[in-house]
Amino acid sequence: MQVYIEGKAFRRTAHCECGWNGTPRRLRSAAIVDAGIHAAQTGHIQAPAPVQSAEPVIVLRAA
Ligand SMILES: [Zn+2]
């Protein structure tokens, strides 16, 4: 399973391949926290850094 952050500024939302969607957040960091909580609760990701897929975030920031 992979958790990623999506959405425009102020509407960052965490999503997961399992179909879970987080609450839209004003701050990307808040969405990342949502993703981390989801990953921890479901056991999808066990790495210390919950969000492994930083690429979409980087693309959004560069755009
Ligand atoms: Zn999930």
Side-chain angles (χ1 to χ4, degrees), residues 16 18 38 44:
C16 181
C18 75
H38 169 76
H44 288 338

Side-chain angles (χ1 to χ4, degrees), residues 2-6 11-16 18 20-45 50-51:
Q2 204 167 25
V3 182
Y4 54 97
I5 310 301
E6 201 174 66
R11 294 293 291 177
R12 309 288 190 192
T13 307
H15 300 277
C16 181
C18 75
W20 171 86
N21 296 303
T23 303
R25 301 291 187 179
R26 295 173 64 88
L27 299 176
R28 185 173 58 96
S29 57
I32 291 174
V33 170
D34 284 346
I37 291 171
H38 169 76
Q41 288 180 341
T42 58
H44 288 338
I45 300 171
V51 179

